[in-house]
Amino acid sequence: MSAHHPDDDHSHLDAMTLRVRALETVLTEKGYVDPAALDELIDIYENRVGPKNGARVVARAWSDPAYRARLMENGTEAIRELGYAGRQGEHLVVVENTPGVHNMVVCTLCSCYPWPVLGLPPVWYKSAPYRSRAVNDPRGVLAEFGVELPEGTEINVWDSTSEMRYLVLPMRPEGTEGWSEEDLAALVTRDAMIGTGLPLSPEEVPA
Amino acid sequence: MRPREASALDALPALPRDDDGPVFAEPWQASAFAMTLALSERGVFSWAEWVDTFSGELKRAAEAGTPDDGSRYYHHWLAALERLIAEKGLADPAILVDARDAWDRAAKATPHGKPIGLSPDDLARIRDAG
């Protein structure tokens, strides 16, 4: 980033920017990367993929039992049907919440995450506390996220890897009978699909 | 009143939180991310190799006591990328240092607010070094 120095009228690049620019220059000159392709990648992840994709998948599963069956059978293929495929979406497994079982996703080693349906992970997902506590104390983590589950509910924690990524299919909120897929999708939050949240109830939908 | 008994939970670090903040906090993070993807897609390294290197970097940082609340995520990411590039022999570390210095000189020679670019001499030297 550029920053103005009060003592002169020249530019300054911070240490991280210098390291990244040096890499980009050398890799570009050697033909390993193409700056235009890098800009395109950044645009995709800043603007075009995100949890709205996953919300559409969940809303379709809530509305269409045949789709739901395909999604549970082969997540990657069923998600591809809706046009979401590509990087970090090669082996997507959908895990389904039920009244007796709640699912939660973590990557204990780093930050593997289902990019095509959720975009890039939030800061807390990448943090050491979440990565360790999700496994050791899932109920405590859920409480911090404001989620209280009935005592008898079993919590399954799924550890993502570079080969296997998980998407939680939350339970459809009550009072949504007859809703369109579009309206249902508005109830599906990012955290509900990681398992650290629940979908919004009809009363919670922003007008 | 009895003091509250310490529970195991008190010993656990709090979770950092964010709502739908920006995907990248600064442009260099976006560039580091995009270069990693581009190199992996070119087959220079596999994504499994990347995850291996990156998780090793996170583990080293944790062992060194670096606070890992997610805010230094891309610092670790860049360190892992530099490590993997060195391991694969993609770029001579001396050339990287040279390029870093060249960008630093270029910034300092550029009036504030003007685009910063490498001089033709610097660019030619970096290209020839390959």
Side-chain angles (χ1 to χ4, degrees):
Chain A
M1 300 206 99
S2 307
H4 196 115
H5 269 214
D7 55 342
D8 63 33
D9 197 30
H10 294 280
S11 302
H12 169 76
L13 296 174
D14 65 65
M16 300 308 287
T17 302
L18 288 174
R19 280 164 67 184
V20 165
R21 290 221 182 168
L23 271 185
E24 193 172 337
T25 302
V26 172
L27 293 174
T28 301
E29 290 301 329
K30 295 187 136 215
Y32 286 115
V33 300
D34 164 16
L38 297 181
D39 287 346
E40 166 78 8
L41 283 169
I42 292 167
D43 180 51
I44 290 173
Y45 287 95
E46 279 189 329
N47 304 312
R48 288 188 255 157
V49 301
K52 279 196 164 54
N53 295 0
R56 256 195 79 208
V57 171
V58 169
R60 171 69 55 90
W62 284 345
S63 311
D64 178 347
Y67 182 76
R68 182 196 198 97
R70 291 200 297 282
L71 186 66
M72 299 310 299
E73 172 75 25
N74 184 335
T76 311
E77 280 307 312
I79 286 165
R80 196 194 305 269
E81 278 180 43
L82 298 191
Y84 309 132
R87 305 176 189 94
Q88 314 313 310
E90 294 88 350
H91 300 285
L92 269 167
V93 173
V94 177
V95 290
E96 185 177 22
N97 287 348
T98 65
V101 178
H102 181 86
N103 296 285
M104 200 167 128
V105 181
V106 65
C107 172
T108 55
L109 280 181
C110 51
S111 51
C112 300
Y113 194 71
W115 295 355
V117 277
L118 295 184
L120 296 184
V123 171
W124 54 262
Y125 186 87
K126 306 181 287 201
S127 73
Y130 181 75
R131 291 189 281 116
S132 58
R133 288 187 49 202
V135 175
N136 298 334
D137 176 31
R139 218 167 262 275
V141 167
L142 285 174
E144 277 191 43
F145 277 88
V147 178
E148 298 284 349
L149 298 173
E151 219 156 275
T153 304
E154 184 187 328
I155 302 176
N156 287 340
V157 179
W158 300 86
D159 193 359
S160 314
T161 65
S162 60
E163 264 136 39
M164 200 73 91
R165 285 133 209 282
Y166 301 93
L167 181 76
V168 174
L169 175 58
M171 284 189 289
R172 180 170 173 161
E174 286 175 20
T176 57
E177 294 73 21
W179 283 35
S180 70
E181 273 185 43
E182 199 187 335
D183 288 342
L184 286 171
L187 300 174
V188 185
T189 61
R190 176 195 65 199
D191 291 2
M193 295 180 281
I194 304 176
T196 52
L198 300 175
L200 303 177
S201 65
E203 303 79 51
E204 289 171 310
V205 187
Chain B
M1 190 193 283
R2 281 179 56 201
R4 192 173 64 94
E5 277 178 60
S7 76
L9 266 180
D10 293 334
L12 292 168
L15 296 175
R17 299 295 299 271
D18 69 345
D19 294 319
D20 296 316
V23 173
F24 304 110
E26 295 184 45
W28 68 263
Q29 301 179 352
S31 298
F33 170 80
M35 280 192 278
T36 309
L37 244 62
L39 291 173
S40 153
E41 280 173 16
R42 226 189 123 88
V44 170
F45 48 76
S46 71
W47 197 255
E49 278 179 287
W50 163 251
V51 166
D52 222 38
T53 308
F54 183 40
S55 54
E57 196 63 43
L58 291 176
K59 194 159 170 270
R60 257 190 303 279
E63 283 162 2
T66 316
D68 189 2
D69 56 1
S71 63
R72 294 188 64 79
Y73 179 76
Y74 280 106
H75 291 72
H76 303 318
W77 182 296
L78 179 59
L81 179 60
E82 288 172 337
R83 180 184 297 269
L84 198 48
I85 282 171
E87 277 174 18
K88 294 283 173 183
L90 296 188
D92 181 344
I95 300 169
L96 284 177
V97 170
D98 182 23
R100 210 177 291 178
D101 291 344
W103 274 107
D104 195 27
R105 280 195 306 275
K108 287 173 178 154
T110 305
H112 185 72
K114 298 269 187 265
I116 302 166
L118 292 186
S119 72
D121 282 355
D122 282 336
L123 213 46
R125 192 181 59 257
I126 291 164
R127 188 178 303 134
D128 294 345

